Amino acid sequence: MGLNHQFRTVPVENVNTVAFRIAITGVVQGVGFRPFVYNLAQRLNVRGWVLNHSGGVDIEAESAPEALAAFIAALRAEAPPLAHIASLETTPVSPNGYTRFEIRHSEAQTGRFMLISPDVATCPECLRELLDPADRRYRYPFINCTNCGPRFTIIEDIPYDRSSTTMCVFPLCDACRAEYENPADRRFHAQPNACPVCGPQIWLSESAGYPEGETAAGESGAECASRNMEPVSPTEETLRRARELLLSGGILAIKGLGGFQLACDATNAEAVQRLRARKRRPHKPFAVMVTTLADARVACEVSPVEAELLTSPQAPIVLLRRLPATPDGTTIADTIAPHQHTLGLMLPYTPLHHLLLRDVGRPLVMTSGNLSEEPIAKDNAEALERLSSIADAFLFHNRDIYARYDDSVVRLSLLAGAGVGKSPNGHESVEAEPALQMLRRARGYAPSPITLPFEVGQVFAAGPLLKNTFTFTRDQYAFVSQHIGDLENLETLKHYEAALATYLHLFRIEPERVVCDLHPDILSTRFAVEFSRANGLPAPLRVQHHRAHIAACLADNGWSRARGPVIGVALDGTGYGDDGTIWGGEWFVGDYDGMRRAVHLEPLPLPGGDAATRQPWRIALAYLNALVEPEDFPAEVCFAGLCPGDAGLIRQQIARGLNVPQTSSMGRLFDAVSALLGVCSEVSYEAQAAIELEQLALLAQDWRPYPFAIEADVVRLAPLFYALLESLERGAVIPDMAARFHATIARMVLEVCLRLREETGLLPVALSGGVFQNALLLDLTVPALQDAGFEVLLHHQVPCNDGGVSLGQCVYRPLSAL
């Protein structure tokens, strides 16, 4: 109910008084909303009260009509920067004759839920106090206020009060309590509020973690706090030892906001290589943390919008184009991101990070505290057990982490509704605007919900196998979980189950149905089946992987059913198809209520199945064998020195049909071409071959597409491979060949979409799937589509990779299970 209604008035001291009950939902707890309301009421002479409850914030306010109208308007217009008001409803009530405005105790309300703020990077005010020798929190690693600090990673229950967080074991000292209880203070009801006297502490261990006699390894923050333990060493001594270890080339495990991170000197190539060997991560790029925005600009090109991202409250890792090396000896080691023209940079987002970076004075590798493919370590004892073979020392603290969270990864692409400007091939389009691409959605963004264009009930979508997230829906919200990882080991499954339990509890969700992938054997599908059985729900609805990709893109863009069907282009690595083969190069026509597979890449053999994805030379040989006549097959094919006799072995395996599934995957086509060109024949991380091919293409001069053929509903690839072999035979420049291949795929997307437009009359095109993480491909494809008159839909809130699939599972065919 809005303000356009009759005020109910009564005379109070010769002034007409009106009263309203105001119900507010959204991100309105843990963001300084109640003190904002209190101070606004003081300013406008409004009387009454405000309180938190399990569903949001309630206010009862009374004053003169003009004052109350201004008060209600200001609730939206002047809300704190971290607040997000989803709904504000006003109801006239009879005045109660309040004489003052007060903040009342929170109320728990059964079945109600509220939106919860993600963790927030250290705000400028707290950073100033952290570095001010005159401040009582000078160099205190846990300084925070209502505008910054931990949120979701420490919340155990709602409403959001200190007693419902992992800070409940740290009683406030008198000075902190005075701030906490003062509505005019920046720390009023800041639940993680603390200082060196009463708050968490840090210590450094170079071996077992705790000195004998002090505490047992694995003792929680709650246990330490309850015993009033002093830290092993003062904060300054701890930081000094950490600095010395990092400057001497050591590897430090640091307990952060959502788990442990592994750090080393990013300018020390030997330290970086040692971290790679211990972490079993030989090639995948590391993220780097630098002290200030000025330091980021020394290492990389940073646009104004990228600067905003780096310094935002979310403080994600931002992929930036690397600048040439500097002569001052502090250059970030090339081994940070082998064969890459980009670096993943972030700024400090906790007080502890700020102190470490300033003390060390060099960029630091800051990567997830885990062995490759395992979840990030969260607790002290867990870190000691899992990271002792990697870290030389541990920087512990005793504030417990409730929810495990990785860092988010984003980048900007010059893509938006206005077009993309000048493409790498010189193509001119209209003026470019930067658009956010989410590559990994975690700290700073999750659990903020995606607002759906329609309600689907309370649904649990189990997500895919790789880059897993799950999604719950309630009302118009889709709560997409933080990045979980690849569901291929027990540790990640436990992380999945713990995160699932947290979301179910905090958002008070009781799923009415379950959705999962079409593949019958992957872990997320098996979990969904068991979850349905255990909760007395119908068998899960199965949604094909690439249809979920397109549905996710539609939901990401708020696409309503009324806007009708689209052309969906899903270019991906792996997804179980309707026919039991591996899909991944798909053009669909349809919408949420159904999608027809209209065109696809021709299926080709994948010898060894999953093994081939780790050895792209296998895919290249198999594709050549399938597409090139025997007399045209090259006598010698050099895949990074592999014996030409391997071609015979691949032929034999294909002929026998032993573990040779068929695939229409675009990701596998990129792998095959990367290996054929000698760029990458074996990989140590997903999409490595395609990424290195993209990086080479950026050096090219020739952007002419190679030929291909479209026959009925199949894209034929033999012309492409004959052209690639001809280029190799005449000694073409490899970067040019890589660029021409990218241009070929962009042309392929356009030509198929043009054919489908002739058939259907459709103009909207949704692009999804992990292949569209390729910024070069996107920069070639989108302007071509837009110049041909298509409306292009891209992901912005969730990744185009498998991290967005669970969102699509929730919204695809929502009526079919009702």
Side-chain angles (χ1 to χ4, degrees):
M1 187 173 184
L3 292 175
N4 295 323
H5 50 71
Q6 293 294 319
F7 287 101
R8 185 178 303 175
T9 63
V10 295
V12 176
E13 297 181 355
N14 299 320
V15 177
N16 285 336
T17 297
V18 297
F20 284 94
R21 174 66 66 89
I22 305 167
I24 303 175
T25 66
V27 182
V28 288
Q29 294 188 26
V31 293
F33 197 80
R34 285 180 300 171
F36 154 70
V37 172
Y38 177 90
N39 289 310
L40 180 65
Q42 299 299 309
R43 190 179 87 204
L44 296 175
N45 193 29
V46 171
R47 302 170 298 280
W49 50 262
V50 59
L51 63 78
N52 281 348
H53 59 77
S54 303
V57 168
D58 280 352
I59 302 168
E60 188 165 313
E62 57 185 52
S63 188
E66 297 79 8
L68 202 52
F71 175 80
I72 294 172
L75 288 174
R76 281 191 184 275
E78 301 178 23
L82 299 181
H84 171 71
I85 295 178
S87 67
L88 188 155
E89 298 181 357
T90 61
T91 304
V93 296
S94 298
N96 281 299
Y98 297 115
T99 59
R100 61 191 179 95
F101 197 90
E102 64 179 355
I103 297 174
R104 292 187 171 178
H105 291 296
S106 300
E107 294 180 355
Q109 297 180 358
T110 303
R112 298 292 301 276
F113 82 103
M114 53 167 277
L115 304 184
I116 300 173
S117 169
D119 292 7
V120 184
T122 306
C123 69
E125 291 85 356
C126 283
L127 179 59
R128 177 184 54 77
E129 293 172 349
L130 178 73
L131 303 178
D132 180 2
D135 193 275
R136 74 185 187 92
R137 292 186 177 87
Y138 175 57
R139 291 178 62 83
Y140 178 56
F142 301 95
I143 188 172
N144 67 86
C145 69
T146 53
N147 297 321
C148 68
R151 295 294 189 274
F152 193 76
T153 55
I154 64 169
I155 294 176
E156 299 177 353
D157 205 350
I158 56 173
Y160 177 57
D161 287 317
R162 191 180 182 96
S163 60
S164 299
T165 74
T166 61
M167 286 295 296
C168 66
V169 298
F170 296 100
L172 292 165
C173 66
D174 290 344
C176 286
R177 179 161 296 282
E179 296 168 332
Y180 185 86
E181 294 177 350
N182 180 3
D185 195 283
R186 195 175 88 250
R187 293 187 170 89
F188 175 74
H189 279 228
Q191 308 306 340
N193 188 28
C195 74
V197 174
C198 64
Q201 303 292 341
I202 61 171
W203 67 94
L204 189 138
S205 167
E206 297 181 24
S207 55
Y210 299 82
E212 185 177 354
E214 286 287 342
T215 179
E219 184 170 51
S220 69
E223 291 165 329
C224 289
S226 68
R227 287 167 47 188
N228 268 334
M229 285 181 52
E230 292 293 325
V232 170
S233 60
T235 295
E236 290 305 318
E237 175 63 13
T238 295
L239 291 171
R240 181 192 65 78
R241 291 167 61 196
R243 174 183 180 275
E244 289 178 353
L245 182 135
L246 289 167
L247 288 176
S248 65
I251 298 169
L252 182 64
I254 303 166
K255 188 176 183 181
L257 269 182
F260 278 78
Q261 295 168 305
L262 293 166
C264 72
D265 181 353
T267 69
N268 185 331
E270 292 182 0
V272 173
Q273 203 55 43
R274 190 159 48 249
L275 176 56
R276 287 198 174 282
R278 294 183 187 178
K279 191 173 162 67
R280 302 174 197 169
R281 184 168 163 167
H283 304 109
K284 190 174 182 180
F286 285 135
V288 175
M289 184 176 282
V290 294
T291 310
T292 65
L293 187 58
D295 296 320
R297 288 186 166 128
V298 170
C300 294
E301 296 177 6
V302 182
S303 71
V305 181
E306 287 165 336
E308 289 181 15
L309 275 172
L310 286 167
T311 58
S312 68
Q314 293 80 19
I317 298 168
V318 183
L319 291 191
L320 302 167
R321 188 169 181 83
R322 188 167 185 171
L323 290 172
T326 57
D328 62 359
T330 61
T331 303
I332 292 173
D334 289 338
T335 50
I336 293 288
H339 311 298
Q340 307 281 311
H341 299 298
T342 57
L343 281 176
L345 289 192
M346 59 178 157
L347 297 183
Y349 56 85
T350 71
L352 183 56
H353 287 137
H354 280 286
L355 294 173
L356 278 174
L357 267 291
R358 281 167 169 77
D359 287 359
V360 174
R362 295 181 187 174
L364 296 178
V365 170
M366 202 64 68
T367 188
S368 301
N370 57 4
L371 284 171
S372 288
E373 311 311 328
E374 291 184 358
I376 186 172
K378 177 173 74 75
D379 302 316
N380 293 345
E382 177 191 6
L384 281 168
E385 180 181 350
R386 292 175 50 202
L387 304 180
S388 290
S389 62
I390 305 176
D392 298 308
F394 292 81
L395 184 51
F396 290 117
H397 64 69
N398 58 344
R399 183 179 68 200
D400 289 344
I401 298 169
Y402 190 72
R404 195 184 310 256
Y405 262 66
D406 276 296
D407 293 317
S408 293
V409 184
V410 305
R411 80 162 162 230
L412 283 181
S413 185
L414 293 180
L415 299 167
V420 300
K422 189 171 183 179
S423 297
N425 62 353
H427 172 89
E428 293 289 345
S429 186
V430 289
E431 185 178 357
E433 295 180 13
L436 178 69
Q437 266 194 300
M438 186 74 64
L439 303 181
R440 184 170 76 192
R441 187 174 185 269
R443 176 192 54 77
Y445 295 95
S448 295
I450 310 300
T451 301
L452 299 175
F454 47 80
E455 292 189 16
V456 297
Q458 296 196 38
V459 178
F460 162 46
L465 175 68
L466 304 179
K467 291 185 171 63
N468 178 272
T469 63
F470 58 79
T471 296
F472 286 107
T473 59
R474 178 166 180 170
D475 300 339
Q476 75 273 33
Y477 298 120
F479 297 96
V480 183
S481 76
Q482 72 269 36
H483 169 79
I484 301 294
D486 298 346
L487 284 178
E488 296 184 316
N489 55 62
L490 180 60
E491 292 82 6
T492 308
L493 177 60
K494 289 180 178 178
H495 173 27
Y496 180 92
E497 292 174 332
L500 191 86
T502 297
Y503 273 65
L504 283 170
H505 177 65
L506 291 180
F507 297 116
R508 306 299 196 254
I509 295 171
E510 297 179 359
E512 301 161 342
R513 62 188 179 94
V514 178
V515 189
C516 65
D517 193 87
L518 187 63
H519 197 301
D521 295 325
I522 60 174
L523 194 54
S524 58
T525 296
R526 297 203 301 269
F527 183 90
V529 170
E530 180 56 36
F531 183 94
S532 297
R533 184 181 300 116
N535 289 277
L537 297 171
L541 176 69
R542 309 283 179 108
V543 175
Q544 197 278 324
H545 184 89
H546 300 101
R547 291 186 177 95
H549 266 300
I550 301 303
C553 186
L554 296 181
D556 198 335
N557 285 273
W559 192 264
S560 67
R561 278 200 186 83
R563 299 190 66 180
V566 303
I567 298 169
V569 186
L571 304 185
D572 199 31
T574 298
Y576 190 79
D578 296 344
D579 56 4
T581 66
I582 301 170
W583 290 7
E586 317 300 321
W587 284 257
F588 295 100
V589 172
D591 55 19
Y592 299 110
D593 297 318
M595 295 182 197
R596 169 175 65 90
R597 189 192 193 198
V599 179
H600 58 87
L601 291 184
E602 68 174 300
L604 292 168
L606 191 65
D610 285 345
T613 65
R614 296 185 289 274
Q615 296 177 311
W617 64 266
R618 288 176 175 266
I619 308 172
L621 287 172
Y623 281 22
L624 286 172
N625 185 71
L627 297 170
V628 176
E629 294 297 328
E631 61 269 22
D632 297 322
F633 199 97
E636 291 189 6
V637 181
C638 178
F639 300 124
L642 291 171
C643 174
D646 287 326
L649 296 176
I650 293 298
R651 283 199 191 98
Q652 291 177 24
Q653 184 177 9
I654 293 172
R656 293 172 181 170
L658 180 63
N659 190 21
V660 187
Q662 296 289 300
T663 181
S664 61
S665 166
M666 182 63 78
R668 300 295 77 81
L669 177 59
F670 269 82
D671 289 345
V673 173
S674 184
L676 179 62
L677 272 55
V679 176
C680 183
S681 295
E682 297 196 0
V683 304
S684 62
Y685 65 93
E686 186 184 10
Q688 179 181 349
I691 290 170
E692 293 185 4
L693 188 69
E694 175 194 1
Q695 297 297 308
L696 265 184
L698 295 174
L699 306 174
Q701 299 298 317
D702 188 351
W703 295 88
R704 295 170 297 153
Y706 288 116
F708 57 91
I710 306 173
E711 298 176 2
D713 61 348
V714 178
V715 179
R716 300 292 179 186
L717 299 175
L720 168 62
F721 274 79
Y722 271 100
L724 287 167
L725 289 174
E726 188 275 332
S727 291
L728 284 172
E729 186 176 353
R730 64 180 173 80
V733 177
I734 298 301
D736 282 356
M737 292 183 66
R740 295 185 66 187
F741 172 70
H742 280 79
T744 303
I745 304 307
R747 175 68 63 84
M748 188 184 296
V749 171
L750 173 63
E751 289 198 11
V752 175
C753 287
L754 287 171
R755 290 193 179 210
L756 293 176
R757 184 169 70 185
E758 284 185 22
E759 174 190 326
T760 65
L762 294 174
L763 291 177
V765 176
L767 304 182
S768 190
V771 170
F772 283 117
Q773 285 188 163
N774 184 318
L776 173 58
L777 179 63
L778 214 54
D779 288 348
L780 291 167
T781 303
V782 173
L785 289 168
Q786 290 176 330
D787 289 351
F790 288 101
E791 177 187 2
V792 181
L793 305 178
L794 302 172
H795 287 271
H796 301 294
Q797 301 180 82
V798 298
C800 66
N801 62 42
D802 284 6
V805 164
S806 64
L807 173 63
Q809 290 175 341
C810 275
V811 296
Y812 186 67
R813 299 182 65 189
L815 299 178
S816 62
L818 298 181

